Amino acid sequence: MSELLLEERKDLLTKKSIEARKLVVQTVHHAGAGHIGGPMSAIDVLTNLYFNEMNISTEDPNGEDRDRFVLSKGHSAIGLYPVLALRGYFPIEELKTFDAINSRLQAHPDMTILPGLDMSTGSLGQGISAAVGMALGAKLQNKNFRTYCMIGDGESQEGQVWEAADVASKYNLDNLVVILDNNKIQQFGWDAGNQTREIPAFNPKARWEAFGWYVIEIDGHHHEAITNAFSEARNVTGKPTMIIANTVKGKGVSFMENTHNWHSRVPTDEELRQAIQELETEV
Amino acid sequence: MKTILSTKKETMRDALSKTILRLSEEDENVYVLDGDLATSTKVDIVANENPEKFLQMGIAEQNMMSVASGLATTGLQPWAFTFAAFLSKRAIDQIQVQIAQPNLNVKMVGGYSGLLTGLTGKTHQSLEDIAIFRTLANMVVLAPADSTEVEKVMEFAHQYDGPVYIRLARDAYPVIFSDDYQFELGKAVTLKEGSDVTIISTGTQTSRSLEAAEKLESEGISVAVVHMPSIKPLDKEAIVKAAESTGAIVTAEEHSIIGGLGSAVAETLVEEKPVPMVRVGVRDRNAESGPNEAMLQKYEISSDYVAAAVKKVLKKK
Ligand SMILES: Cc1ncc(C[n+]2csc(CCOP(=O)(O)OP(=O)(O)O)c2C)c(N)n1
């Protein structure tokens, strides 16, 4: 791509990310429920996947050769839904049904009712294994699609994540890219005196390398960095790729950033107004 | 199709072994996932004879079941093999969230179910798997009685598009069915007619129930034996018919009396046709390791206990 096109692409991705963040806050406010911090930290990577990286078609959401995405940190569904809506999988209006009875937009993703969802998740630690299954399925059938998956840093405390890491290595799944949304805050966390409340000695880079993965570490809010990481992952052979996306929980709204208090809080009318204002002036 | 209990015994494992090898050869979509128990479950035959269809998942059952889910979404038919205890208790959240709810085409085979798990005891016995699996929406739960039926239910599961749990046993059991036996999902199989009591049994308890019925016959008690290979969906019609025709029911299973076949039958009877009933199963106890015959006696599920249950229910009629 030429410099100009690259700039245009970056602008588009940045714009989409802001729109998506606004929709997250509005939807959670409207529903009176939902997670906020984790979805906000994930938005840039999710936007980049759906508007830049993945080979998908909204006309054929179940196409056999489409790239797959598994939101292993399923509680961030309300981060994914706005991106899917903006991408054209369903009307943006439908976000208003989030968490309502009969809605296709379940609190945690339900692949049986919403087109564009490749896996049902919500119980942490499982999605990454399903993504391993998809990537393995592609290899066994000589298919070229790639599989992407996002996990959380808190989620990484689940032993199953490391079971999956082993098997992905064993089967040389270089068609698998997992993104760690490394916002360093979980629901409540480990140490009340510690501002970041993260697990002691997490060291994701060392851990994933030790499991035989190719590891790239980036600023997860920087579209150029995200795009470059995805391109780099395409050139990796013989091993799966882990992209450690260093992010900010609650990214984009000052009072939501870097605090576990906004893991799943609902903004008041005034907080909503302020959040939208901050997001709009960010451009 | 009726046959009497033969003296010929075969293990379910050997039948499974032959069948899964054949399915893996015949269907390019069939893959075997092993949780490092292939030499026990006998799916090592696939590793040895059709190795590209064998996927070792290591000693990591939760990951194995979620990987199976992902494989199924790409159009493959994964068959996961481990012990019933590990499937039903260690990986049930994965099975519920990623296989049952999305209704994916994953086959789960629990070897070594029940009480007789080859001197392994409490960690390897599985007295809860029927109860656990049958509460999952979309799940089919099958418990064949002999080696012939193992092959038939596996052939059925292969044709069926959706999650299936198959409960198997370790040791050799009398061959009940001949090769022309046809398994039908959701259908009971009447193995013996009788007029005083009906024993409804599943899995390994079917041959013990036949044994009990034959003993009782010589004492002048006429006992019908209805085998339930399909615990879910359940043949409610057959249960109601048995209640109507014999007026008393005994259930028999190598499982806890809580939540298993006995519970499923009781649920049907209470709603449709209440008649006196006695359940044979492990009565809310933790078990231990021990030789088969001693275990069956101590935990009150031997054919003697089935026969005693028949006499008990007759008194309630
Ligand atoms: C197996 C399981 N245990 C607990 C939860 C409840 N839960 C939902 S989100 C969360 C914290 C997750 O933290 P992290 O993975 O860091 O996500 P993020 O901070 O990005 O929201 C917890 C404990 C769950 N959904 N699944």
Side-chain angles (χ1 to χ4, degrees):
Chain A
M1 250 187 276
S2 71
E3 284 295 305
L4 194 66
L5 273 174
L6 274 175
E7 273 310 304
E8 264 176 35
R9 175 63 65 96
K10 220 173 74 186
D11 284 351
L12 171 95
L13 292 171
T14 307
K15 270 227 280 302
K16 292 290 174 196
S17 292
I18 291 166
E19 278 179 67
R21 282 202 169 86
K22 279 161 60 183
L23 288 169
V24 171
V25 183
Q26 283 162 341
T27 305
V28 172
H29 176 260
H30 182 265
H35 293 78
I36 285 230
M40 296 291 267
S41 69
I43 285 290
D44 297 302
V45 170
L46 295 175
T47 305
N48 201 297
L49 280 168
Y50 280 87
F51 283 89
N52 177 52
E53 172 65 9
M54 287 205 297
N55 173 25
I56 43 169
S57 153
T58 53
E59 262 107 76
D60 188 14
N62 297 320
E64 264 184 44
D65 297 321
R66 73 189 189 282
D67 286 347
R68 310 298 205 270
F69 175 67
V70 179
L71 184 64
S72 198
K73 43 171 257 177
H75 62 278
S76 294
I78 195 50
L80 179 59
Y81 296 151
V83 175
L84 292 179
L86 289 167
R87 185 68 171 75
Y89 281 94
F90 56 84
I92 292 175
E93 248 330 86
E94 195 171 337
L95 289 170
K96 294 214 171 91
T97 71
F98 175 64
D99 265 351
I101 197 78
N102 294 328
S103 174
R104 298 193 294 175
L105 310 184
Q106 291 292 298
H108 296 91
D110 183 345
M111 67 186 283
T112 65
I113 46 178
L114 188 70
L117 291 180
D118 297 321
M119 185 45 59
S120 295
T121 52
S123 182
L124 292 168
Q126 302 178 354
I128 182 172
S129 303
V132 167
M134 292 172 190
L136 184 55
K139 289 255 178 206
L140 294 171
Q141 297 171 90
N142 294 315
K143 290 186 173 173
N144 287 325
F145 69 79
R146 292 172 71 74
T147 301
Y148 299 85
C149 171
M150 179 185 275
I151 62 171
D153 52 284
E155 181 180 12
S156 305
Q157 288 144 31
E158 286 286 359
Q160 186 178 350
V161 168
W162 305 98
E163 298 178 2
D166 259 341
V167 170
S169 259
K170 153 93 172 74
Y171 288 98
N172 308 318
L173 300 180
D174 49 21
N175 54 353
L176 174 67
V177 178
V178 177
I179 303 104
L180 170 66
D181 183 21
N182 195 27
N183 61 35
K184 304 177 189 75
I185 297 175
Q186 52 198 93
Q187 179 161 333
F188 183 64
W190 292 75
D191 176 3
N194 173 353
Q195 201 230 332
T196 65
R197 304 178 81 86
E198 69 177 319
I199 181 173
F202 181 34
N203 297 336
K205 188 163 193 290
R207 282 199 198 187
W208 286 96
E209 278 171 354
F211 276 80
W213 287 51
Y214 184 83
V215 180
I216 306 168
E217 189 160 2
I218 58 164
D219 172 350
H221 297 307
H222 198 277
H223 274 295
E224 203 173 317
I226 301 169
T227 304
N228 289 342
F230 284 140
S231 307
E232 189 177 336
R234 283 178 182 272
N235 294 321
V236 175
T237 52
K239 32 165 101 174
T241 295
M242 161 52 67
I243 298 175
I244 299 172
N246 290 313
T247 55
V248 173
K249 193 148 175 164
K251 172 73 179 175
V253 177
S254 58
F255 55 91
M256 294 179 182
E257 286 190 357
N258 282 319
T259 168
H260 77 283
N261 291 321
W262 278 92
H263 176 71
S264 57
R265 217 185 102 181
V266 179
T268 62
D269 294 349
E270 174 49 29
E271 284 166 341
L272 173 70
R273 198 195 53 73
Q274 198 188 327
I276 297 298
Q277 193 183 29
E278 285 187 24
L279 288 165
E280 277 173 349
T281 51
E282 201 189 290
V283 204
Chain B
M1 217 246 15
K2 281 162 267 170
T3 45
I4 336 143
L5 210 51
S6 82
T7 49
K8 187 176 150 205
K9 285 187 171 188
E10 283 178 10
T11 71
M12 295 185 180
R13 294 190 282 167
D14 290 316
L16 167 151
S17 190
K18 273 186 284 184
T19 311
I20 192 62
L21 177 63
R22 177 164 57 76
L23 293 175
S24 78
E25 287 167 348
E26 286 171 2
D27 182 348
E28 59 176 12
N29 289 327
V30 168
Y31 278 84
V32 169
L33 275 64
D34 174 35
D36 198 31
L37 282 170
T39 45
S40 300
T41 58
K42 299 215 176 169
V43 294
D44 54 349
I45 193 168
V46 179
N48 294 327
E49 296 185 28
N50 192 10
E52 66 273 23
K53 290 306 205 68
F54 182 87
L55 303 169
Q56 180 57 261
M57 288 291 127
I59 311 160
E61 297 77 11
Q62 302 175 15
N63 180 62
M64 174 164 75
M65 300 321 296
S66 300
V67 168
S69 157
L71 286 168
T73 67
T74 71
L76 298 177
Q77 186 182 89
W79 286 67
F81 294 83
T82 178
F83 290 165
F86 306 142
L87 270 179
S88 64
K89 287 171 283 187
R90 189 149 197 142
I92 202 64
D93 185 33
Q94 286 72 11
I95 291 170
Q96 202 272 323
V97 174
Q98 299 192 295
I99 296 171
Q101 193 274 345
N103 205 16
L104 290 173
N105 196 17
V106 176
K107 313 306 165 188
M108 292 150 271
V109 184
Y112 290 35
S113 73
L115 198 57
L116 307 186
T117 53
L119 298 168
T120 50
K122 63 192 185 313
T123 45
H124 291 54
Q125 285 154 344
S126 182
L127 301 173
E128 310 86 0
D129 55 313
I130 296 176
I132 291 167
F133 271 100
R134 82 183 181 91
T135 56
L136 303 184
N138 290 331
M139 187 63 66
V140 167
V141 181
L142 306 177
D146 77 349
S147 53
T148 310
E149 199 172 28
V150 168
E151 182 179 349
K152 303 292 177 175
V153 300
M154 287 178 74
E155 282 167 355
F156 159 79
H158 175 239
Q159 293 305 318
Y160 178 84
D161 184 11
V164 178
Y165 171 62
I166 304 174
R167 172 178 218 254
L168 300 182
R170 177 183 187 274
D171 295 318
Y173 285 87
V175 176
I176 297 172
F177 298 102
S178 55
D179 286 340
D180 60 355
Y181 165 71
Q182 302 275 328
F183 167 80
E184 251 188 282
L185 180 65
K187 287 282 178 245
V189 186
T190 302
L191 292 172
K192 183 181 172 306
E193 306 282 352
S195 53
D196 297 330
V197 178
T198 305
I199 304 173
I200 301 177
S201 62
T202 192
T204 51
Q205 279 305 66
T206 291
S207 51
R208 294 185 197 116
S209 297
L210 283 169
E211 214 179 295
E214 277 168 19
K215 235 179 319 189
L216 290 163
E217 204 77 36
S218 64
E219 297 176 29
I221 304 171
S222 171
V223 183
V225 178
V226 171
H227 168 54
M228 284 289 182
S230 177
I231 295 162
K232 189 183 183 187
L234 186 68
D235 191 343
K236 293 187 179 172
E237 230 171 82
I239 295 169
V240 172
K241 239 177 72 193
E244 282 168 353
S245 65
T246 61
I249 303 284
V250 165
T251 58
E253 61 199 304
E254 200 179 316
H255 185 274
S256 167
I257 52 156
I258 299 172
L261 173 75
S263 298
V265 169
E267 287 156 17
T268 304
L269 291 178
V270 165
E271 287 185 350
E272 309 283 337
K273 177 78 191 153
V275 295
M277 173 183 174
V278 171
R279 291 167 297 158
V280 177
V282 178
R283 308 194 77 82
D284 199 20
R285 297 159 73 184
N286 288 299
E288 65 195 290
S289 53
N292 286 357
E293 282 313 313
M295 294 289 285
L296 293 175
Q297 285 308 117
K298 179 165 177 182
Y299 294 93
E300 304 178 10
I301 60 169
S302 66
S303 66
D304 292 344
Y305 278 94
V306 179
V310 168
K311 289 180 182 169
K312 192 168 160 194
V313 83
L314 272 175
K315 289 199 193 125
K316 297 189 181 190
K317 251 177 112 169

